[in-house]
Amino acid sequence: MISEEMMALGKKRSVIREIFEYGKIRAGEIGRENVFDFSLGNPNVPPPDCVKEAILDLVNTEDSVTLHGYTSAQGDARVRQAIADYINATYGTQVDADNLYMTAGAAASLSICLKALAVPGDEFIAFTPFFPEYRVFTEAAGGKLVVVPSREGDFQIDIPKFAEALTERTKAVIVNSPNNPSGVVLSEDNIRQLCDVMREKEAQFGHPIYLITDEPYRELVYEGVSVPYLLNYYDNTFVCYSFSKSLSLPGERIGYVLVSNKMEAERDVYAAVCGAGRALGYVCAPSLFQQVAARCVGQTSDISVYKKNRDLLYNQLTSFGFDCVKPAGAFYLFVKSMEPDANAFCERAKQYELLLVPGDDFGCPGYVRISYCVSTEQILRAMPAFEKLAKAYKA
Amino acid sequence: MISEEMMALGKKRSVIREIFEYGKIRAGEIGRENVFDFSLGNPNVPPPDCVKEAILDLVNTEDSVTLHGYTSAQGDARVRQAIADYINATYGTQVDADNLYMTAGAAASLSICLKALAVPGDEFIAFTPFFPEYRVFTEAAGGKLVVVPSREGDFQIDIPKFAEALTERTKAVIVNSPNNPSGVVLSEDNIRQLCDVMREKEAQFGHPIYLITDEPYRELVYEGVSVPYLLNYYDNTFVCYSFSKSLSLPGERIGYVLVSNKMEAERDVYAAVCGAGRALGYVCAPSLFQQVAARCVGQTSDISVYKKNRDLLYNQLTSFGFDCVKPAGAFYLFVKSMEPDANAFCERAKQYELLLVPGDDFGCPGYVRISYCVSTEQILRAMPAFEKLAKAYKA
């Protein structure tokens, strides 16, 4: 009698959450230091100092009624202007406050964009590996998720396969770079080809095909890798951003949707974003953290910790015989399972107290995700276990 | 090509917001002190001291990674336990942490409940006057809002009309007491009759009919009026609560859904609530304010200011010849328009710089809402204008 679909969704615990719960139980049995949990994508590096400073200053000096009061539905105008100024200064764009809609994080940003766009029958394209909630959000908005496999080996977009997947029903294409779970950053060349194909298909089908870029990991890149800013490559672009990873604030739910100033019928699309936010019950993004975001925009947590972890893990694991793409960003390593069934591989890893996430839910069977947003000490302690696991498969 | 429905929703500025914007322009022309804006429902009383104390203490003493990190989707377990303990101590219930699902405020609570319940063809009943977003949220969830007029004169539920409106398709009934926009509190007697009818119809139709009680104004009541706690009257009850009004934190988006421990198939329904939260893109309620809510639960802003404002406005307006029910709670006065068209009446009120909200969007043409969450000084300054307005209709 209630919604069976929602009940099923609520009952289906995410695989990641199940592994995490198992880890907690196991820690109770054998000690936390002996369980090597690489399952969760929760930043382990503290927020930059500006976050605490901003909260204290705001709470101590601002009028509390205004500080904690409703902002306009699209977000405080000065907050949006500060973020627009930062984006323009950093990426050479010309957006303004009215292109931005503040949200309760990237999940809200995506849900709102999809709801703003979807009409029954619409298809939305995602590339493997992809964040499993893309399917949930797309279906909740009434759309259908079409999955296009990425290139084996480097996880760049497979342009010919992509071109084939585009149909008259394609409403939008979702990209996520740096990628969860592979850490791969799409190259500028790959992006250009993607956009060329999309423009060609727009002309062929006679309607816009939108690009939705989900980029909570934009600032988490290593060795000066540059992440192309998609507004500069394609006009019909939405940027779905979150401060969760850059400022280590995932629980506070603060992010934005940026509707490109060059988008076709931009004011209509922006209105649809506002309407979707309203329909989904988002009244405004959390007000204190809107102000915090404006004050800290462009700053990041100490990402050198993630780089150190990545180098340590990547170098050691490959020396043990594991096969993976070296991640240029985010805080995940996406490793080939040493047997075809990644679930069986993860079960075997558990015997060495290693908690890894099978890639099946990310649309990539045969791979496992290893989150390195953990302490460097845990990685060091886990090394013998990884070595034993690799040897077990060679024996 | 995009969702026309969302675009229309985003473009239709709320009447309240339009009046508010007009007020800002008018204040620029004739001075803020000469414009009497009674349009917005934004608390004007600061949060209680515990809010600032809690924020400072949490930020200064807690581990920042945990404080700002993800909580479980249903909310931090200790936060939920603290709120459950408060509810049990206050209302004599026996709920526990697992009956609570923390949300980003009452709008999220309602959207999530409706999404958890609705299957195509479902009807949801609301009583006039009602918060206009009920229609938006119900339709977004795929349901149909059925509006039942309340009793003229006292705005209690019209039981015979309600009984007639219940059909086999009725999935749930939404009540809001203390009410926005009338300030009316439903009497215990009225609640009992409502619940009796619902139980009767449940038996007749052979399926649950849920009661959804939207109660952000629960603590804002005057002269010791008691607001019946619906869990104690009806088993299939959801409480949608927000700390927005009690703690003057509307911008922070913090509240909860309480699924009655006595609800039929309670674990299934709770799972559907979790699934709906997930599908709508709510990852977890804002984490810092979850902790603030747990520490401040049961406290309120200084509501004596609202009572003073109510008394002043009610006594003076009725002495000028205005007709309205004396509100027992919330911070609104719902006054009969002095001409049949409340929009025309509001336009006329503007000539005296009085900004009032027509009742049409609340399902009550012929009434206007006057928000008294404003400074007492504004009310005092506005009195001659109200008097002139009344006289203009008597002339």
Side-chain angles (χ1 to χ4, degrees), chain A residues 3-78:
Chain A
S3 167
E4 297 278 341
E5 200 186 332
M6 292 303 118
M7 186 174 74
L9 197 57
K11 281 193 175 170
K12 194 188 166 218
R13 287 178 85 177
S14 93
V15 176
I16 298 173
R17 187 61 57 176
E18 283 207 7
I19 296 167
F20 174 72
E21 299 293 343
Y22 167 84
K24 283 205 295 191
I25 292 164
R26 192 71 183 134
E29 291 165 1
I30 62 167
R32 178 173 293 269
E33 69 285 3
N34 298 313
V35 179
F36 312 121
D37 186 348
F38 293 96
S39 65
L40 279 193
N42 210 353
N44 71 310
V45 175
D49 293 342
C50 66
V51 167
K52 182 172 171 180
E53 286 161 16
I55 295 172
L56 295 179
D57 185 55
L58 288 160
V59 168
N60 283 319
T61 66
E62 295 284 314
D63 169 53
S64 61
V65 167
T66 309
L67 182 63
H68 303 303
Y70 292 118
T71 68
S72 72
Q74 58 268 50
D76 182 79
R78 282 162 313 160

Side-chain angles (χ1 to χ4, degrees), chain A residues 1 3 9-11 47 64 68-70 116 133 137 171 245 251-253 268 271 278 280-284 287-288, chain B residues 1 3 9-11 47 64 68-70 116 133 137 171 245 251-253 268 271 278 280-283 287-288:
Chain A
M1 274 299 300
S3 167
L9 197 57
K11 281 193 175 170
S64 61
H68 303 303
Y70 292 118
E133 298 301 89
F137 301 154
K171 178 58 70 69
K245 315 295 177 176
E252 304 299 355
R253 314 312 301 141
D268 285 352
R278 190 175 160 191
L280 295 173
Y282 294 103
V283 173
C284 63
S287 49
L288 174 64
Chain B
M1 272 300 300
S3 168
L9 197 56
K11 284 194 172 170
S64 60
H68 303 303
Y70 291 118
E133 298 302 90
F137 301 154
K171 178 59 69 73
K245 315 294 178 177
E252 304 299 354
R253 314 311 304 143
D268 286 351
R278 191 174 159 191
L280 295 174
Y282 293 102
V283 173
S287 50
L288 173 64

Side-chain angles (χ1 to χ4, degrees), chain A residues 8-222:
Chain A
L9 197 57
K11 281 193 175 170
K12 194 188 166 218
R13 287 178 85 177
S14 93
V15 176
I16 298 173
R17 187 61 57 176
E18 283 207 7
I19 296 167
F20 174 72
E21 299 293 343
Y22 167 84
K24 283 205 295 191
I25 292 164
R26 192 71 183 134
E29 291 165 1
I30 62 167
R32 178 173 293 269
E33 69 285 3
N34 298 313
V35 179
F36 312 121
D37 186 348
F38 293 96
S39 65
L40 279 193
N42 210 353
N44 71 310
V45 175
D49 293 342
C50 66
V51 167
K52 182 172 171 180
E53 286 161 16
I55 295 172
L56 295 179
D57 185 55
L58 288 160
V59 168
N60 283 319
T61 66
E62 295 284 314
D63 169 53
S64 61
V65 167
T66 309
L67 182 63
H68 303 303
Y70 292 118
T71 68
S72 72
Q74 58 268 50
D76 182 79
R78 282 162 313 160
V79 166
R80 287 182 286 127
Q81 192 58 55
I83 295 172
D85 290 345
Y86 168 77
I87 293 170
N88 291 335
T90 310
Y91 306 112
T93 48
Q94 293 184 302
V95 302
D96 70 27
D98 287 337
N99 297 111
L100 284 161
Y101 179 90
M102 300 301 296
T103 65
S109 299
L110 281 165
S111 299
I112 289 169
C113 282
L114 294 164
K115 181 83 177 168
L117 293 177
V119 293
D122 276 353
E123 295 173 355
F124 293 82
I125 290 180
F127 303 97
T128 64
F130 65 92
F131 183 50
E133 298 301 89
Y134 289 175
R135 188 180 299 282
V136 175
F137 301 154
T138 302
E139 290 175 359
K144 183 188 162 200
L145 193 74
V146 173
V147 176
V148 175
S150 290
R151 290 201 312 233
E152 274 281 341
D154 67 358
F155 290 121
Q156 297 288 309
I157 292 168
D158 187 323
I159 300 295
K161 277 196 191 135
F162 170 60
E164 267 171 48
L166 284 159
T167 75
E168 278 216 313
R169 319 226 73 161
T170 308
K171 178 58 70 69
V173 176
I174 307 171
V175 297
N176 171 223
S177 166
N179 180 266
N180 170 13
S182 73
V184 163
V185 173
L186 296 177
S187 71
E188 189 179 12
D189 189 45
N190 200 235
I191 291 290
R192 283 191 194 283
Q193 293 175 53
L194 168 88
C195 296
D196 285 345
V197 170
M198 285 176 67
R199 272 185 291 263
E200 206 176 283
K201 295 287 181 179
E202 280 189 326
Q204 181 184 334
F205 299 137
H207 62 72
I209 300 172
Y210 300 94
L211 182 59
I212 300 174
T213 168
D214 173 28
E215 38 188 67
Y217 299 99
R218 162 160 289 278
E219 290 83 8
L220 273 61
V221 286
Y222 314 113

